PDB file of all heavy atoms in Angstrom:
ATOM      1  N   THR A   1       4.811 -10.052   1.046  1.00  0.00           N
ATOM      2  CA  THR A   1       3.516 -10.141   1.724  1.00  0.00           C
ATOM      3  C   THR A   1       3.453  -9.184   2.911  1.00  0.00           C
ATOM      4  O   THR A   1       2.460  -8.467   3.110  1.00  0.00           O
ATOM      5  CB  THR A   1       3.264 -11.580   2.197  1.00  0.00           C
ATOM      6  OG1 THR A   1       3.305 -12.456   1.072  1.00  0.00           O
ATOM      7  CG2 THR A   1       1.909 -11.692   2.885  1.00  0.00           C
ATOM      8  N   GLU A   2       4.541  -9.162   3.702  1.00  0.00           N
ATOM      9  CA  GLU A   2       4.601  -8.243   4.838  1.00  0.00           C
ATOM     10  C   GLU A   2       4.613  -6.792   4.361  1.00  0.00           C
ATOM     11  O   GLU A   2       3.999  -5.910   4.968  1.00  0.00           O
ATOM     12  CB  GLU A   2       5.836  -8.535   5.682  1.00  0.00           C
ATOM     13  CG  GLU A   2       5.705  -9.736   6.595  1.00  0.00           C
ATOM     14  CD  GLU A   2       4.597  -9.545   7.619  1.00  0.00           C
ATOM     15  OE1 GLU A   2       4.552  -8.469   8.260  1.00  0.00           O
ATOM     16  OE2 GLU A   2       3.761 -10.454   7.776  1.00  0.00           O
ATOM     17  N   ALA A   3       5.325  -6.547   3.274  1.00  0.00           N
ATOM     18  CA  ALA A   3       5.391  -5.183   2.732  1.00  0.00           C
ATOM     19  C   ALA A   3       4.005  -4.713   2.303  1.00  0.00           C
ATOM     20  O   ALA A   3       3.603  -3.571   2.572  1.00  0.00           O
ATOM     21  CB  ALA A   3       6.358  -5.141   1.558  1.00  0.00           C
ATOM     22  N   GLU A   4       3.256  -5.603   1.636  1.00  0.00           N
ATOM     23  CA  GLU A   4       1.912  -5.220   1.205  1.00  0.00           C
ATOM     24  C   GLU A   4       0.991  -4.995   2.400  1.00  0.00           C
ATOM     25  O   GLU A   4       0.155  -4.088   2.389  1.00  0.00           O
ATOM     26  CB  GLU A   4       1.333  -6.299   0.294  1.00  0.00           C
ATOM     27  CG  GLU A   4       0.004  -5.898  -0.325  1.00  0.00           C
ATOM     28  CD  GLU A   4      -0.382  -6.784  -1.491  1.00  0.00           C
ATOM     29  OE1 GLU A   4       0.395  -7.706  -1.815  1.00  0.00           O
ATOM     30  OE2 GLU A   4      -1.450  -6.541  -2.079  1.00  0.00           O
ATOM     31  N   ARG A   5       1.180  -5.791   3.452  1.00  0.00           N
ATOM     32  CA  ARG A   5       0.377  -5.615   4.650  1.00  0.00           C
ATOM     33  C   ARG A   5       0.675  -4.244   5.294  1.00  0.00           C
ATOM     34  O   ARG A   5      -0.241  -3.537   5.725  1.00  0.00           O
ATOM     35  CB  ARG A   5       0.663  -6.748   5.636  1.00  0.00           C
ATOM     36  CG  ARG A   5      -0.243  -6.709   6.868  1.00  0.00           C
ATOM     37  CD  ARG A   5       0.002  -7.899   7.785  1.00  0.00           C
ATOM     38  NE  ARG A   5      -0.417  -9.153   7.143  1.00  0.00           N
ATOM     39  CZ  ARG A   5       0.399 -10.138   6.828  1.00  0.00           C
ATOM     40  NH1 ARG A   5       1.697 -10.036   7.107  1.00  0.00           N
ATOM     41  NH2 ARG A   5      -0.055 -11.238   6.253  1.00  0.00           N
ATOM     42  N   ALA A   6       1.961  -3.878   5.335  1.00  0.00           N
ATOM     43  CA  ALA A   6       2.340  -2.568   5.890  1.00  0.00           C
ATOM     44  C   ALA A   6       1.768  -1.438   5.036  1.00  0.00           C
ATOM     45  O   ALA A   6       1.262  -0.427   5.555  1.00  0.00           O
ATOM     46  CB  ALA A   6       3.861  -2.457   5.969  1.00  0.00           C
ATOM     47  N   PHE A   7       1.846  -1.596   3.720  1.00  0.00           N
ATOM     48  CA  PHE A   7       1.313  -0.573   2.811  1.00  0.00           C
ATOM     49  C   PHE A   7      -0.188  -0.377   3.026  1.00  0.00           C
ATOM     50  O   PHE A   7      -0.675   0.760   3.107  1.00  0.00           O
ATOM     51  CB  PHE A   7       1.597  -0.984   1.366  1.00  0.00           C
ATOM     52  CG  PHE A   7       0.957  -0.096   0.341  1.00  0.00           C
ATOM     53  CD1 PHE A   7       1.487   1.146   0.044  1.00  0.00           C
ATOM     54  CD2 PHE A   7      -0.196  -0.507  -0.333  1.00  0.00           C
ATOM     55  CE1 PHE A   7       0.890   1.971  -0.912  1.00  0.00           C
ATOM     56  CE2 PHE A   7      -0.797   0.303  -1.282  1.00  0.00           C
ATOM     57  CZ  PHE A   7      -0.249   1.545  -1.570  1.00  0.00           C
ATOM     58  N   GLN A   8      -0.921  -1.467   3.127  1.00  0.00           N
ATOM     59  CA  GLN A   8      -2.371  -1.358   3.304  1.00  0.00           C
ATOM     60  C   GLN A   8      -2.726  -0.749   4.659  1.00  0.00           C
ATOM     61  O   GLN A   8      -3.742  -0.055   4.787  1.00  0.00           O
ATOM     62  CB  GLN A   8      -3.027  -2.733   3.147  1.00  0.00           C
ATOM     63  CG  GLN A   8      -2.926  -3.314   1.734  1.00  0.00           C
ATOM     64  CD  GLN A   8      -3.554  -2.423   0.665  1.00  0.00           C
ATOM     65  OE1 GLN A   8      -4.411  -1.582   0.960  1.00  0.00           O
ATOM     66  NE2 GLN A   8      -3.119  -2.596  -0.584  1.00  0.00           N
ATOM     67  N   ALA A   9      -1.867  -0.993   5.669  1.00  0.00           N
ATOM     68  CA  ALA A   9      -2.094  -0.344   6.970  1.00  0.00           C
ATOM     69  C   ALA A   9      -1.978   1.169   6.826  1.00  0.00           C
ATOM     70  O   ALA A   9      -2.756   1.932   7.426  1.00  0.00           O
ATOM     71  CB  ALA A   9      -1.092  -0.870   7.996  1.00  0.00           C
ATOM     72  N   GLY A  10      -1.011   1.612   6.018  1.00  0.00           N
ATOM     73  CA  GLY A  10      -0.872   3.048   5.777  1.00  0.00           C
ATOM     74  C   GLY A  10      -2.035   3.618   4.999  1.00  0.00           C
ATOM     75  O   GLY A  10      -2.534   4.717   5.314  1.00  0.00           O
ATOM     76  N   ILE A  11      -2.485   2.905   3.964  1.00  0.00           N
ATOM     77  CA  ILE A  11      -3.617   3.381   3.158  1.00  0.00           C
ATOM     78  C   ILE A  11      -4.877   3.476   4.009  1.00  0.00           C
ATOM     79  O   ILE A  11      -5.687   4.395   3.874  1.00  0.00           O
ATOM     80  CB  ILE A  11      -3.841   2.458   1.950  1.00  0.00           C
ATOM     81  CG1 ILE A  11      -2.658   2.563   0.975  1.00  0.00           C
ATOM     82  CG2 ILE A  11      -5.136   2.792   1.236  1.00  0.00           C
ATOM     83  CD1 ILE A  11      -2.451   3.943   0.393  1.00  0.00           C
ATOM     84  N   ALA A  12      -5.058   2.510   4.928  1.00  0.00           N
ATOM     85  CA  ALA A  12      -6.231   2.535   5.802  1.00  0.00           C
ATOM     86  C   ALA A  12      -6.229   3.776   6.687  1.00  0.00           C
ATOM     87  O   ALA A  12      -7.285   4.345   6.988  1.00  0.00           O
ATOM     88  CB  ALA A  12      -6.267   1.274   6.657  1.00  0.00           C
ATOM     89  N   ALA A  13      -5.030   4.215   7.126  1.00  0.00           N
ATOM     90  CA  ALA A  13      -4.934   5.431   7.940  1.00  0.00           C
ATOM     91  C   ALA A  13      -5.094   6.683   7.092  1.00  0.00           C
ATOM     92  O   ALA A  13      -5.633   7.698   7.552  1.00  0.00           O
ATOM     93  CB  ALA A  13      -3.595   5.457   8.670  1.00  0.00           C
ATOM     94  N   LEU A  14      -4.636   6.607   5.839  1.00  0.00           N
ATOM     95  CA  LEU A  14      -4.664   7.782   4.971  1.00  0.00           C
ATOM     96  C   LEU A  14      -6.018   7.980   4.308  1.00  0.00           C
ATOM     97  O   LEU A  14      -6.582   9.082   4.314  1.00  0.00           O
ATOM     98  CB  LEU A  14      -3.573   7.643   3.902  1.00  0.00           C
ATOM     99  CG  LEU A  14      -3.399   8.808   2.935  1.00  0.00           C
ATOM    100  CD1 LEU A  14      -2.849  10.015   3.678  1.00  0.00           C
ATOM    101  CD2 LEU A  14      -2.450   8.422   1.793  1.00  0.00           C
ATOM    102  N   LEU A  15      -6.531   6.906   3.730  1.00  0.00           N
ATOM    103  CA  LEU A  15      -7.786   6.976   2.988  1.00  0.00           C
ATOM    104  C   LEU A  15      -8.692   5.834   3.450  1.00  0.00           C
ATOM    105  O   LEU A  15      -8.785   4.792   2.782  1.00  0.00           O
ATOM    106  CB  LEU A  15      -7.520   6.865   1.484  1.00  0.00           C
ATOM    107  CG  LEU A  15      -6.626   7.943   0.861  1.00  0.00           C
ATOM    108  CD1 LEU A  15      -6.171   7.524  -0.523  1.00  0.00           C
ATOM    109  CD2 LEU A  15      -7.367   9.276   0.807  1.00  0.00           C
ATOM    110  N   PRO A  16      -9.334   5.976   4.588  1.00  0.00           N
ATOM    111  CA  PRO A  16     -10.178   4.888   5.112  1.00  0.00           C
ATOM    112  C   PRO A  16     -11.229   4.453   4.087  1.00  0.00           C
ATOM    113  O   PRO A  16     -11.857   5.275   3.424  1.00  0.00           O
ATOM    114  CB  PRO A  16     -10.838   5.514   6.349  1.00  0.00           C
ATOM    115  CG  PRO A  16      -9.924   6.637   6.739  1.00  0.00           C
ATOM    116  CD  PRO A  16      -9.348   7.159   5.458  1.00  0.00           C
ATOM    117  N   GLY A  17     -11.370   3.136   3.962  1.00  0.00           N
ATOM    118  CA  GLY A  17     -12.357   2.604   3.038  1.00  0.00           C
ATOM    119  C   GLY A  17     -11.893   2.542   1.604  1.00  0.00           C
ATOM    120  O   GLY A  17     -12.665   2.156   0.716  1.00  0.00           O
ATOM    121  N   THR A  18     -10.634   2.935   1.353  1.00  0.00           N
ATOM    122  CA  THR A  18     -10.098   2.931  -0.008  1.00  0.00           C
ATOM    123  C   THR A  18      -9.082   1.803  -0.154  1.00  0.00           C
ATOM    124  O   THR A  18      -8.285   1.547   0.754  1.00  0.00           O
ATOM    125  CB  THR A  18      -9.419   4.278  -0.331  1.00  0.00           C
ATOM    126  OG1 THR A  18     -10.369   5.324  -0.183  1.00  0.00           O
ATOM    127  CG2 THR A  18      -8.885   4.289  -1.756  1.00  0.00           C
ATOM    128  N   SER A  19      -9.070   1.160  -1.296  1.00  0.00           N
ATOM    129  CA  SER A  19      -8.100   0.106  -1.578  1.00  0.00           C
ATOM    130  C   SER A  19      -7.247   0.523  -2.770  1.00  0.00           C
ATOM    131  O   SER A  19      -7.775   0.796  -3.859  1.00  0.00           O
ATOM    132  CB  SER A  19      -8.813  -1.219  -1.872  1.00  0.00           C
ATOM    133  OG  SER A  19      -7.877  -2.222  -2.195  1.00  0.00           O
ATOM    134  N   LEU A  20      -5.947   0.597  -2.560  1.00  0.00           N
ATOM    135  CA  LEU A  20      -5.014   0.933  -3.628  1.00  0.00           C
ATOM    136  C   LEU A  20      -4.035  -0.211  -3.802  1.00  0.00           C
ATOM    137  O   LEU A  20      -3.638  -0.858  -2.829  1.00  0.00           O
ATOM    138  CB  LEU A  20      -4.253   2.228  -3.302  1.00  0.00           C
ATOM    139  CG  LEU A  20      -5.067   3.519  -3.256  1.00  0.00           C
ATOM    140  CD1 LEU A  20      -4.165   4.699  -2.907  1.00  0.00           C
ATOM    141  CD2 LEU A  20      -5.752   3.773  -4.592  1.00  0.00           C
ATOM    142  N   PRO A  21      -3.593  -0.495  -5.030  1.00  0.00           N
ATOM    143  CA  PRO A  21      -2.651  -1.597  -5.248  1.00  0.00           C
ATOM    144  C   PRO A  21      -1.261  -1.239  -4.729  1.00  0.00           C
ATOM    145  O   PRO A  21      -0.831  -0.086  -4.801  1.00  0.00           O
ATOM    146  CB  PRO A  21      -2.652  -1.753  -6.769  1.00  0.00           C
ATOM    147  CG  PRO A  21      -3.036  -0.405  -7.290  1.00  0.00           C
ATOM    148  CD  PRO A  21      -4.004   0.163  -6.292  1.00  0.00           C
ATOM    149  N   TYR A  22      -0.582  -2.231  -4.199  1.00  0.00           N
ATOM    150  CA  TYR A  22       0.793  -2.052  -3.735  1.00  0.00           C
ATOM    151  C   TYR A  22       1.718  -2.128  -4.948  1.00  0.00           C
ATOM    152  O   TYR A  22       1.915  -3.194  -5.536  1.00  0.00           O
ATOM    153  CB  TYR A  22       1.140  -3.143  -2.726  1.00  0.00           C
ATOM    154  CG  TYR A  22       2.611  -3.190  -2.346  1.00  0.00           C
ATOM    155  CD1 TYR A  22       3.237  -2.090  -1.777  1.00  0.00           C
ATOM    156  CD2 TYR A  22       3.353  -4.352  -2.566  1.00  0.00           C
ATOM    157  CE1 TYR A  22       4.577  -2.139  -1.430  1.00  0.00           C
ATOM    158  CE2 TYR A  22       4.695  -4.410  -2.218  1.00  0.00           C
ATOM    159  CZ  TYR A  22       5.307  -3.296  -1.649  1.00  0.00           C
ATOM    160  OH  TYR A  22       6.641  -3.342  -1.313  1.00  0.00           O
ATOM    161  N   ALA A  23       2.265  -0.978  -5.354  1.00  0.00           N
ATOM    162  CA  ALA A  23       3.095  -0.914  -6.562  1.00  0.00           C
ATOM    163  C   ALA A  23       4.262   0.041  -6.331  1.00  0.00           C
ATOM    164  O   ALA A  23       4.194   1.223  -6.691  1.00  0.00           O
ATOM    165  CB  ALA A  23       2.254  -0.460  -7.752  1.00  0.00           C
ATOM    166  N   PRO A  24       5.356  -0.455  -5.726  1.00  0.00           N
ATOM    167  CA  PRO A  24       6.521   0.410  -5.496  1.00  0.00           C
ATOM    168  C   PRO A  24       7.075   0.943  -6.812  1.00  0.00           C
ATOM    169  O   PRO A  24       7.152   0.193  -7.805  1.00  0.00           O
ATOM    170  CB  PRO A  24       7.527  -0.538  -4.821  1.00  0.00           C
ATOM    171  CG  PRO A  24       6.709  -1.658  -4.280  1.00  0.00           C
ATOM    172  CD  PRO A  24       5.557  -1.814  -5.223  1.00  0.00           C
ATOM    173  N   PRO A  25       7.451   2.220  -6.880  1.00  0.00           N
ATOM    174  CA  PRO A  25       8.006   2.792  -8.117  1.00  0.00           C
ATOM    175  C   PRO A  25       9.279   2.066  -8.541  1.00  0.00           C
ATOM    176  O   PRO A  25      10.078   1.646  -7.711  1.00  0.00           O
ATOM    177  CB  PRO A  25       8.297   4.252  -7.733  1.00  0.00           C
ATOM    178  CG  PRO A  25       7.431   4.515  -6.552  1.00  0.00           C
ATOM    179  CD  PRO A  25       7.331   3.226  -5.814  1.00  0.00           C
ATOM    180  N   GLU A  26       9.448   1.924  -9.864  1.00  0.00           N
ATOM    181  CA  GLU A  26      10.616   1.207 -10.371  1.00  0.00           C
ATOM    182  C   GLU A  26      11.921   1.933 -10.076  1.00  0.00           C
ATOM    183  O   GLU A  26      12.962   1.298  -9.908  1.00  0.00           O
ATOM    184  CB  GLU A  26      10.457   0.993 -11.879  1.00  0.00           C
ATOM    185  CG  GLU A  26       9.319   0.051 -12.254  1.00  0.00           C
ATOM    186  CD  GLU A  26       9.231  -0.168 -13.751  1.00  0.00           C
ATOM    187  OE1 GLU A  26      10.077   0.409 -14.463  1.00  0.00           O
ATOM    188  OE2 GLU A  26       8.338  -0.915 -14.198  1.00  0.00           O
ATOM    189  N   ASN A  27      11.890   3.254 -10.057  1.00  0.00           N
ATOM    190  CA  ASN A  27      13.126   3.999  -9.800  1.00  0.00           C
ATOM    191  C   ASN A  27      13.352   4.279  -8.327  1.00  0.00           C
ATOM    192  O   ASN A  27      14.149   5.145  -7.952  1.00  0.00           O
ATOM    193  CB  ASN A  27      13.145   5.312 -10.591  1.00  0.00           C
ATOM    194  CG  ASN A  27      11.943   6.195 -10.298  1.00  0.00           C
ATOM    195  OD1 ASN A  27      10.915   5.714  -9.824  1.00  0.00           O
ATOM    196  ND2 ASN A  27      12.076   7.477 -10.584  1.00  0.00           N
ATOM    197  N   GLY A  28      12.670   3.580  -7.447  1.00  0.00           N
ATOM    198  CA  GLY A  28      12.935   3.647  -6.015  1.00  0.00           C
ATOM    199  C   GLY A  28      12.719   5.020  -5.421  1.00  0.00           C
ATOM    200  O   GLY A  28      11.770   5.734  -5.781  1.00  0.00           O
TER     201      GLY A  28
END
C-alpha cells in the first residue's frame, strides 16, 4: 500500500492528471 502511494506520488509529478497502474516489472 505504501509502495503504491509512493508510485502515485511520482506519477503525479511526472504526468499530472494521469493515472497509471502500479505494476513493478517481474525481472526487477
